[in-house]
């Protein structure tokens, strides 16, 4: 580009001279133009020696010449002085002859300008490389003769240029090697074709998929020459679309046959290839294998098709298991209920036994009268009614009640304590109940009563086992803006830390010897969390176990 620029300077000066006024000297005409240019320029006039031989007389050196090379017209008035002072003395004559020969060849071949590259010795002794360009002939006409310009463009040594070219070439080769390594390393197939849809190259993955050992083997071939030749037209239609429209086709799925005859699924992309001028010369394609992804998606779809059925089966099985657990818990509770009934009936039956014996003795002794008979019968009827009510209370406990109903929490506590009263009294267990006002909720009365019964019975068993000085169970009920808070606390010493985290697990019990099933607290948690949307937890308080139940208002 720089040499072309110098030639432009020479031609520009030459063309400007044609339109000049010929009554002015050439120096005065060209001086402003020459001084405005950034390159050193010498204005030379055709001269003749005493023998009629042509030579160049140097009539003007521009400002750039003085700055970069240093000589004035007085220093180098002609070409002879120029070659003596401007070049190494060892080669100046030879270089002068070569320069004259270069000019003669330019005239003979019809070249308007000629150039060469030389080391110039500047006035300060510094040596610089310049590309020197001039007109082959003195083609600028002036009123005082014919002229030409010599333009100097500072450059570097040809050897240095060659070294630079070698370095650039080496870097290009290195970059090509890196690019080839990258292309062959990425886990996708890459290929490129010319406008005729013949392969220009590919990476190692594509070569392997096409059945070749090396990417070089595919160059010049078309899809009709490869293992997928039966689908070649389909692939080439995509290529033609990209090349003709210049629009990329990105991330579309397509099947491709392998060398083993199997079909695989690919995600492909194709883009147009353009040169530095923007001209389209081919297309670049890439793909990655999505066969496994497709197979996984098919398996997932098949799984989804059967998922609803499997969920229904699992749900049904879970419901059946829950029913079985509930039934097992109820059977265990029935045993406890019978024991409680026995406790409740113990004193009434004893009273009935005493009354019957008293009636028999009174009758035998002849002391029976209507007043005494009426009194004893009345006592027996009230006792029997009490026993009947006890059975009714227990029957209500097992009566299912659906849907949800509004009830008072105190009624649930009273109902539970009525059932357990005799058993607790027999073991001298005191129960205190603290309720903050009238608190009611909507839920399942009997299920909540069953939860309280399970917790109170466990507290009773712990108190019997540990025998504190005074056996106590306390029940508190209060509420806040969100929840009803029910707590049951005992003073039986608490639950072992190694056991407490498993207390609500199914079939977990610490009472194997006494026939514990491990279902009571498990069912209690199910009732509170699943049926009543609440929560239940247990922790050790200062003296014993503390159960806390939260129920939404």
């Amino acid at each position: 580009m720089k040499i072309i620029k110098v030639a432009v300077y020479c031609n520009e000066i030459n063309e400007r001279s044609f339109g000049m006024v010929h009554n002015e000297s050439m120096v005065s005409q060209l001086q402003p133009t020459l001084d405005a240019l950034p390159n050193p320029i010498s204005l030379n006039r055709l001269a003749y020696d005493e023998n009629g031989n042509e030579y160049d007389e140097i009539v003007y050196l521009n400002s750039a010449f003085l700055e970069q090379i240093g000589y004035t017209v007085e220093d180098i008035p002609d070409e002879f002085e120029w070659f003596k002072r401007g070049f190494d003395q060892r080669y100046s004559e030879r270089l002068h002859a070569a320069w004259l020969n270069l000019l003669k060849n330019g005239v003979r071949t019809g070249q308007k300008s000629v150039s060469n590259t030389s080391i110039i010795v500047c006035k300060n002794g510094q040596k610089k490389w310049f590309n020197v360009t001039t007109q082959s002939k003195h083609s600028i006409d002036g009123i005082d003769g014919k002229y030409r310009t010599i333009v100097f463009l500072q450059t570097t040594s040809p050897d240095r240029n060659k070294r630079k070219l070698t370095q650039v070439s080496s870097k290009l080769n290195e970059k090509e090697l890196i690019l080839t390594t990258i292309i062959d390393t990425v886990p996708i197939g890459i290929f490129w074709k010319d406008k005729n849809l013949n392969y220009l190259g590919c990476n190692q993955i594509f070569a392997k998929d096409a059945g070749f050992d090396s990417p070089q083997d595919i160059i010049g071939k078309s899809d009709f020459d490869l293992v997928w030749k039966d689908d070649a037209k389909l692939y080439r239609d995509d290529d033609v679309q990209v090349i003709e429209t210049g629009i990329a086709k990105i991330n579309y799925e397509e099947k491709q046959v392998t060398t083993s005859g199997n079909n695989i699924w690919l995600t492909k992309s194709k883009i147009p290839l353009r040169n530095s001028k923007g001209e389209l010369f081919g297309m670049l394609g890439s793909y990655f294998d999505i066969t496994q992804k497709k197979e996984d998606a098919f398996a997932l779809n098949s799984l989804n098709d059967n998922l609803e059925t499997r969920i229904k089966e699992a749900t049904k099985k879970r419901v059946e298991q829950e029913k079985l657990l509930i039934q097992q818990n109820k059977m265990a509770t029935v045993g406890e209920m019978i024991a409680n009934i026995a406790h409740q009936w113990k004193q009434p039956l004893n009273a009935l036994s005493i009354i019957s014996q008293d009636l028999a003795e009174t009758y035998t002794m002849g002391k029976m009268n209507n007043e005494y008979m009426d009194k004893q019968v009345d006592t027996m009827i009230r006792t029997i009614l009490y026993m009947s009510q006890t059975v009714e209370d227990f029957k209500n406990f097992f009566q299912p009640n659906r849907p949800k109903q509004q009830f008072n929490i105190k009624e649930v506590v009273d109902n539970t304590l009525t059932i357990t009263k005799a058993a607790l009294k027999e073991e001298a267990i005191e129960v205190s109940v603290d309720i903050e006002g009238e608190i009611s909720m909507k839920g399942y009365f009997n299920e909540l009563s069953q939860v309280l019964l399970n917790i109170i019975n466990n507290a009773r068993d712990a108190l019997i086992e540990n025998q504190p000085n005074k056996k106590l169970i306390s029940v508190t009920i209060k509420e806040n803006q969100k929840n009803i808070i029910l707590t049951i606390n005992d003073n039986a010493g608490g639950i072992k830390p190694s056991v407490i985290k498993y207390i609500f697990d199914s079939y977990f019990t610490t009472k194997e010897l006494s026939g514990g099933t491990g279902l009571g607290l498990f069912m209690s948690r199910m009732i509170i969390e699943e049926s009543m949307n609440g929560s239940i937890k247990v922790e050790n308080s200062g003296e014993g176990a503390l159960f806390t139940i939260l129920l939404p208002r």
Side-chain angles (χ1 to χ4, degrees), residues 71-341:
Y71 297 111
T72 64
V73 174
E74 288 75 17
D75 296 326
I76 47 172
D78 53 42
E79 65 178 273
F80 303 107
E81 285 299 321
W82 164 243
F83 274 96
K84 284 181 182 180
R85 303 191 64 174
F87 295 89
D88 190 316
Q89 291 302 306
R90 294 173 295 177
Y91 313 112
S92 61
E93 291 185 6
R94 193 184 344 170
L95 292 172
H96 192 184
W99 174 254
L100 294 175
N101 188 54
L102 182 66
L103 293 174
K104 288 178 183 179
N105 286 336
V107 173
R108 188 180 70 251
T109 58
Q111 292 177 263
K112 288 186 178 182
S113 62
V114 296
S115 64
N116 74 337
T117 302
S118 301
I119 294 179
I120 303 296
V121 180
C122 300
K123 188 174 181 178
N124 62 7
Q126 184 180 4
K127 295 181 180 180
K128 298 179 182 179
W129 281 93
F130 283 91
N131 182 273
V132 185
T133 303
T134 187
Q135 295 89 4
S136 299
K137 298 188 296 182
H138 296 79
S139 56
I140 306 174
D141 294 325
I143 60 174
D144 52 353
K146 290 182 175 291
Y147 294 81
R148 65 178 162 199
T149 55
I150 300 178
V151 181
F152 296 80
L153 176 66
Q154 190 168 352
T155 181
T156 55
S157 164
D159 291 337
R160 186 178 177 185
N161 289 338
K162 186 175 180 181
R163 287 196 301 272
K164 282 188 176 180
L165 184 61
T166 302
Q167 290 173 357
V168 171
S169 177
S170 176
K171 287 183 178 179
L172 288 175
N173 290 335
E174 183 179 348
K175 288 181 178 179
E176 183 179 359
L177 178 61
I178 292 172
L179 181 59
T180 301
T181 302
I182 292 172
I183 290 175
D184 283 337
T185 303
V186 293
I188 61 175
I190 301 175
F191 59 93
W192 49 100
K193 301 179 181 179
D194 60 23
K195 293 177 71 173
N196 296 320
L197 308 185
N198 294 319
Y199 283 96
L200 295 173
C202 68
N203 70 345
Q204 195 65 47
I205 289 179
F206 186 88
K208 181 180 178 181
D209 289 346
F212 296 106
D213 295 328
S214 167
Q216 298 296 323
D217 298 334
I218 203 170
I219 296 175
K221 292 182 170 55
S222 74
D223 289 305
F224 290 109
D225 302 318
L226 305 182
V227 65
W228 48 76
K229 58 185 177 182
D230 292 341
D231 297 317
K233 185 178 182 307
L234 173 65
Y235 302 154
R236 289 165 67 91
D237 286 345
D238 294 335
D239 301 342
V240 170
Q241 177 185 341
V242 171
I243 292 174
E244 289 184 351
T245 64
I247 300 173
K249 188 173 182 182
I250 304 295
N251 290 338
Y252 64 97
E253 294 182 1
E254 204 166 53
K255 281 197 301 184
Q256 180 173 293
V257 68
T258 65
T259 53
S260 61
N262 298 321
N263 283 320
I264 59 175
W265 279 97
L266 307 174
T267 292
K268 287 186 176 182
S269 293
K270 294 180 179 179
I271 62 172
L273 284 178
R274 301 180 185 275
N275 59 23
S276 59
K277 298 179 180 179
E279 299 168 341
L280 197 149
F281 69 89
M283 55 77 59
L284 172 72
S286 64
Y287 64 81
F288 56 91
D289 193 334
I290 58 168
T291 306
Q292 188 61 50
K293 179 181 175 183
K294 281 281 189 181
E295 292 175 352
D296 291 344
F298 178 78
L300 182 60
N301 290 334
S302 299
L303 179 63
N304 287 337
D305 290 340
N306 299 324
L307 187 58
E308 185 176 355
T309 301
R310 296 173 71 176
I311 289 175
K312 287 181 179 179
E313 291 176 352
T315 303
K316 182 179 178 182
K317 184 177 180 180
R318 182 182 173 215
V319 170
E320 290 174 351
Q321 289 176 337
E322 288 180 357
K323 287 181 178 179
L324 178 60
L325 289 174
I326 292 171
Q327 184 62 29
Q328 289 175 333
N329 184 60
K330 283 191 174 182
M331 292 303 295
T333 306
V334 166
E336 293 180 353
M337 290 301 100
I338 292 173
N340 281 316
I341 291 173

Side-chain angles (χ1 to χ4, degrees), residues 21 69 119 175 182 237 255 266 344 389 428 437 449 507 530:
V21 180
I69 300 177
I119 294 179
K175 288 181 178 179
I182 292 172
D237 286 345
K255 281 197 301 184
L266 307 174
Q344 295 284 73
Q389 185 60 45
S449 184
Y507 298 109
E530 298 186 15

Side-chain angles (χ1 to χ4, degrees), residues 341 344-345 385-395:
I341 291 173
Q344 295 284 73
W345 280 12
L385 287 175
Y386 170 80
M387 295 172 67
S388 176
Q389 185 60 45
T390 300
V391 174
E392 190 67 24
D393 289 339
F394 282 96
K395 184 182 74 173

